[in-house]
Each structure stands twice: as structure tokens, then as C-alpha cells.
Amino acid sequence: MGHLARLAAGAVALALSAGTASAQAWFGVPTPGPVSPPDQPTFHTGGAAYGPTPFHGRPKDDARGALSGAKLMADVHRIVDFSLESKAAGDLLYGRISGLPAEQKTVDWTVGKLKASGLKDAHAESYVSTAPLWLPVSFELRVLGDPAFGAGTSDVVLKSAMPIRNATVKPAAAEGPLVFVGRGSAAELANLDVKGKIAVVNVVPDDSLFAAREKGVARELEKRGAVGVINAVESPGNLLYYDNRYGCDAAPCFLVGGDDGAFLESVIGKAAKAGKQVRMKLALKAEERPNLTAWNGVATIPGKSKEVVIVNAHADAWFDGANDNADGLSVMLGLADYFAHRKQKPARTLVFMVSGGHHTAVGAAAFIKAHPEIIANTVLVMNLEHLAQINVTQAARLDPAGGGAGPTGQAQPGGYGSGVWTANTTESTKQAGAVNATPYVWELMGKASKNYGVVTSYEPTPSAPGDLGAYIRAGLPSVQLISSEVYYHSSGDTPSTISVPGLERAAAFYAGFIDDVAKAPRAKLKGPPPPPPAR
């Protein structure tokens, strides 16, 4: 069964994962269900889906298919399997987390693949994480039932709840009335009293959590006296999310997915209309693990010159991490295999760096410290990250106050639901970033869209979020294409959201980019960016 056919087969699962409620309980609002199954899409697709945009631009000398989408996708699945081992082991916050077994297994497996491609010096390098790892031990978000909300109303435990790191590992508990604060802007908070209450923030991803403006709102609410904060992500289905930028200092803070968030917004509104308040009880226990050992992987294809181009991709991930960053790591492996089997040596030495990551332990900084001789000869760093996720957007938001339609268009009494989400026929828009780099490098980045059909922002930007930070601080010319979708840092970042043609598009562009860089003298790569355009 093909990629789109599998998605179409799961389309029936797009009906809300909400449970059932009597016509009286919870003001008639259906109670939310479990976390959305990872093997079923949370966006709308069906038998009439057009399918992804194909790609036919792989290098002609790639007879072995090193850069073929099918081969790269097989590696995405294998990398995600390491996260699933973490989940099967019972980790509440699961994934390829730096300093834990799944990350080391991923790096070791990647090093083995690089050796199998002929990179004989491929090896793993350990380093000690400079910050302790915070992990939840136990937690619960319980919305307290009340007969005043209708006959048969009982407590509801939110299944998509995920606590966020705070400044303490002391057990935390809170109980209080819920107050909905919208997006938590100064205007919205001006006339709201949150003291002694549990605040619910409407987090609008604006492509992803990375771009959402609600970062930091939780701490502001805590300062104003909130005893806890629920960051409700406006997102498809009912997904787990994790991102420390939405945490508190000492109060317990959580992220919840779309269905749970819509339920809270709906019942808070209906209770207020009836002159009542909804109460919640939350509890959290966590631990810190200091001085954990994380791992990088390093391998080399010697070139005609000792000058170096670093190809970096991070191995760590929250949850499945298919787009963040199994797809980037798979493209790195494809490029290593492709260049290792070309007839001619590359013009410059290629160093492949499997980064231990940046979510909890900074692999690039450890690599730079361990290899000053490589850094001294480096002319450019390419970071492969978030390369091939399909583009999913909210086609319609349901009104939690009443009326509307469900994700597949069915009538939805009461208006409860996380909205209608749909995918288009290509991948999410990439930000083309180039830092410490000349106009020439910026021009080369433009080939991604012009020559390979990679959907990018119309202009490159002199910023590059993600794993490049340490390289940029070291003054190295650094480039990447990166997107950040609604599934960012969520349990929805699964292989079903990865575009196979998109993998091939990205791999073909970067192979061509390496060849283009080979033609340029070092002085043509590092320097100030072009002046900003007149607006």
C-alpha cells in the first residue's frame, strides 16, 4: 500500500477522538478521548487525494539510488524505531533523548551505516551534558466533575497532558478554578484575575510551537498568582507536546493537545454562561539526572583539499521525531553514501557530524571543542534539519461555544473539536537561512526552489535556528533549509507525515549545493550577507 493510500485508509479515524457523554453531563460536551494513534493521520485525506508532488531530479550518477526517496524513507523508519523503543520501555517523555539509551543507539547505528558506505574512520564520541536532564516521573491533569454541570458528570483526566520543565524538581500539586486567558497578551490579561486559579492559554502554533507568540506567557501568569498553567495547543487531534519555552518557574505547567484544549475552552465557556466555574486538580513529580553522557558521530570523506565542508544533522528527538530530525539524518546518510561512491574525490574534505543534539545536550559545541583542527579548516557548515514534512494547515476552526462541523465535515452538535486540518500536495515551507555567509552563498541557496522544487520562503534570512548555534558562534559560514510545522515537538511527528518525494528533493539539492561550494574559493563563502532589500 502506497504512502497516500495508507493515509486514505486511515481517513475514517479523523472523526474526533472524543469519548461520549450523556446529553446532560458536561453541558452536553463530549469528553475528549485518548492521545491520537500515531499510525493514523490527524489531517483530512481521502480517496480523492491528489498525492504528493513528484520529483525526478536526482543526480544522474546516483545509479545506486543512495539519494532515492524510498531508501531515505526506510532510514527514517529505522531511526524512529529507536524512539519507539523508548516508548515501549515506559518512558513518559519518550524519544531519542540525549544522554539516554535511545540516543546512543541511534548514533551507534548511524556510525555503522557510515562505515558500511565506506567511511572507514566513522566513530562515536562521548561528551558530558552541561545541563541536567529533567524528566517527569508521574503527573495528572484532572478536570473535576460536578453535578451542577449535568447529571452523570464525572471527573475527566486529560490524556494528552505533558508537563514542562520548571525550576524545581519538588513535587507540585494545585487545585483551583479554571480561567481562560486567550493567548495571554497584555490586553487580554489587563482585566483578568488569575490569582489562585489555573490558567488555560490558547497556544496558536503559527506554523509551530517555535513560532507561537505564547512563549513566556506561563511565567507571566505565574507572576500574577496563577497556581498552574495549561498551554492548550490549537492542533489536529489530541497530541502530546513538549517544549520548555512554555514552562513556569515553580508552578506546575502543562501542554495539552487540540481535543483536550477544545474541551477545556468549551466547558469553561458553557459553565460561565450558567454562572458556574470549572475546577481542576493537577499533580506533578519530576527528577533531574545530572552529568549524563551523550554521543556524537564523526566520519570523513577525504577530498582533494584539506579544507572542510561539515555536513551536520542531529540525532536526538522528542517523541518519534520523524521530521525533527530523522529525515535530516537520513539525508545525511544518503549524501555520505552518494559521495563515497563517486568516481572522483570531492574537491573539499567532507566531514559528517551526527550531532548528539540541541534539545538537552549541545553536540555541536562538544564537537567544536574536540576538533579545533577541523574547525580551523572549515569553509562552510550545512545543517540538515526538518526537511520533508508535508504541509498541514487548519482549514477551519470549530467554535467551542456551539455549532460547526467535525474534521470530516459531519455535523458536530455543541461545536466541540480541534478543527479541520488538511494537507497540501507538497512539503512545508522551508526557511532558507545563511549566517556569516556572502551573497554568493545566499544565491546558491536559491537553487533549492528554482532547480529542485523545494518550497522555500521568498527570501533567505540571516538567522538559522536549530542545531547551528555553536557553529555560528564560532564564526563559521552556516546554511540550512528548515521548516517548523504544527507537529513540531509532538507525538504527531511520525513517518506518516513525511513526504518521500520531499526527501529526494532535499537530498538532490544538497548534493548539488556541495558541488557548487566546491567551485568557490574560501574567500567567496565567508563574509557579510547582502544588504536588506528596500521595503
Side-chain angles (χ1 to χ4, degrees):
M1 185 181 289
H3 179 68
L4 252 291
R6 285 195 300 271
L7 296 183
V12 293
L14 284 169
L16 289 172
S17 59
T20 59
S22 72
Q24 294 80 31
W26 290 110
F27 307 101
V29 177
T31 54
V35 174
S36 297
D39 58 343
Q40 296 174 355
T42 53
F43 53 89
H44 185 70
T45 184
Y50 294 120
T53 305
F55 179 67
H56 305 290
R58 206 169 76 235
K60 293 180 180 179
D61 61 351
D62 183 25
R64 301 175 65 257
L67 305 180
S68 72
K71 177 182 180 297
L72 300 174
M73 191 66 198
D75 285 342
V76 167
H77 279 284
R78 183 64 189 95
I79 294 163
V80 167
D81 282 346
F82 294 112
S83 285
L84 298 181
E85 290 178 17
S86 167
K87 184 179 181 181
D91 295 335
L92 297 178
L93 179 57
Y94 65 91
R96 305 183 298 276
I97 300 174
S98 298
L100 298 185
E103 181 252 354
Q104 183 178 359
K105 289 180 181 179
T106 306
V107 173
D108 286 344
W109 173 83
T110 306
V111 166
K113 290 277 289 187
L114 291 167
K115 284 183 177 179
S117 292
L119 284 67
K120 297 179 180 179
D121 70 335
H123 63 282
E125 298 179 347
S126 65
Y127 65 99
V128 177
S129 177
T130 56
L133 175 64
W134 182 95
L135 289 172
V137 175
S138 63
F139 55 89
E140 183 180 78
L141 280 186
R142 180 177 293 269
V143 191
L144 301 178
D146 189 320
F149 303 156
T153 301
S154 57
D155 292 0
V156 173
V157 175
L158 301 184
K159 301 299 185 182
S160 73
M162 180 59 65
I164 315 167
R165 177 179 182 150
N166 55 15
T168 177
V169 292
K170 296 178 181 178
E175 180 177 340
L178 291 173
V179 56
F180 187 76
V181 302
R183 300 185 71 176
S185 68
E188 288 166 309
L189 297 182
N191 300 305
L192 278 177
D193 177 16
V194 299
K195 191 171 183 179
K197 300 176 182 178
I198 296 172
V200 179
V201 184
N202 178 208
V203 177
V204 182
D206 292 335
D207 288 341
S208 79
L209 288 180
F210 179 82
R213 75 185 196 195
E214 292 78 31
K215 296 185 291 288
V217 168
R219 285 186 171 84
E220 176 61 26
L221 290 165
E222 184 180 16
K223 289 177 185 177
R224 292 171 180 248
V227 296
V229 179
I230 312 303
N231 296 278
V233 184
E234 197 167 303
S235 56
N238 215 27
L239 304 174
L240 301 171
Y241 280 89
Y242 187 78
D243 194 307
N244 288 327
R245 287 165 287 202
Y246 297 83
C248 297
D249 289 319
C253 278
F254 288 77
L255 283 156
V256 300
D259 284 355
D260 281 346
F263 170 75
L264 291 177
E265 185 176 350
S266 184
V267 297
I268 290 171
K270 288 180 178 292
K273 190 174 181 179
K276 305 180 187 303
Q277 285 187 320
V278 180
R279 296 182 65 85
M280 173 179 277
K281 181 185 290 186
L282 51 81
L284 167 64
K285 291 183 181 180
E287 65 179 8
E288 283 187 339
R289 300 185 189 179
N291 303 315
L292 290 176
T293 299
W295 297 85
N296 289 329
V298 183
T300 305
I301 298 178
K304 298 175 183 177
S305 164
K306 291 184 178 180
E307 290 185 335
V308 169
V309 172
I310 296 174
V311 183
N312 182 93
H314 74 82
D316 69 325
W318 302 122
F319 309 113
D320 285 23
N323 183 54
D324 185 12
N325 184 43
D327 58 4
L329 193 56
S330 74
V331 170
M332 169 194 273
L333 290 170
L335 290 170
D337 193 29
Y338 169 66
F339 280 100
H341 288 88
R342 287 180 101 180
K343 293 180 179 179
Q344 293 184 335
K345 278 186 175 183
R348 288 188 167 101
T349 296
L350 299 178
V351 173
F352 295 87
M353 215 292 269
V354 184
S355 167
H358 62 275
H359 294 116
T360 56
V362 183
F367 170 75
I368 290 169
K369 183 178 180 180
H371 295 283
E373 76 290 351
I374 292 177
I375 300 305
N377 287 314
T378 297
V379 301
L380 189 122
V381 182
M382 296 165 37
N383 182 44
L384 311 181
E385 191 169 356
H386 305 200
L387 293 180
Q389 195 162 80
I390 58 175
N391 192 49
V392 177
T393 55
Q394 191 173 39
R397 184 179 190 274
L398 302 188
D399 179 4
T408 53
Q410 77 276 19
Q412 192 72 20
Y416 162 73
S418 54
V420 181
W421 296 79
T422 185
N424 67 21
T425 59
T426 188
E427 298 79 54
S428 56
T429 302
K430 310 296 181 298
Q431 178 202 72
V435 186
N436 302 324
T438 62
Y440 173 75
V441 175
W442 285 49
E443 183 181 334
L444 293 183
M445 293 296 287
K447 289 189 175 183
S449 58
K450 294 176 181 177
N451 295 10
Y452 299 94
V454 178
V455 178
T456 68
S457 49
Y458 205 72
E459 295 173 348
T461 175
S463 68
D467 213 47
L468 278 174
Y471 297 110
I472 292 170
R473 290 190 293 273
L476 298 177
S478 302
V479 300
Q480 68 181 10
L481 297 171
I482 187 170
S483 69
S484 195
E485 257 281 4
V486 69
Y487 296 118
Y488 172 79
H489 285 197
S490 86
S491 60
D493 183 9
T494 65
S496 67
T497 70
I498 301 301
S499 162
V500 174
L503 285 169
E504 196 164 311
R505 268 188 274 275
F509 161 70
Y510 276 117
F513 184 83
I514 290 172
D515 284 339
D516 284 338
V517 168
K519 302 170 187 175
R522 186 171 189 170
K524 198 173 181 179
L525 301 175
K526 182 177 181 179
R535 300 295 186 191

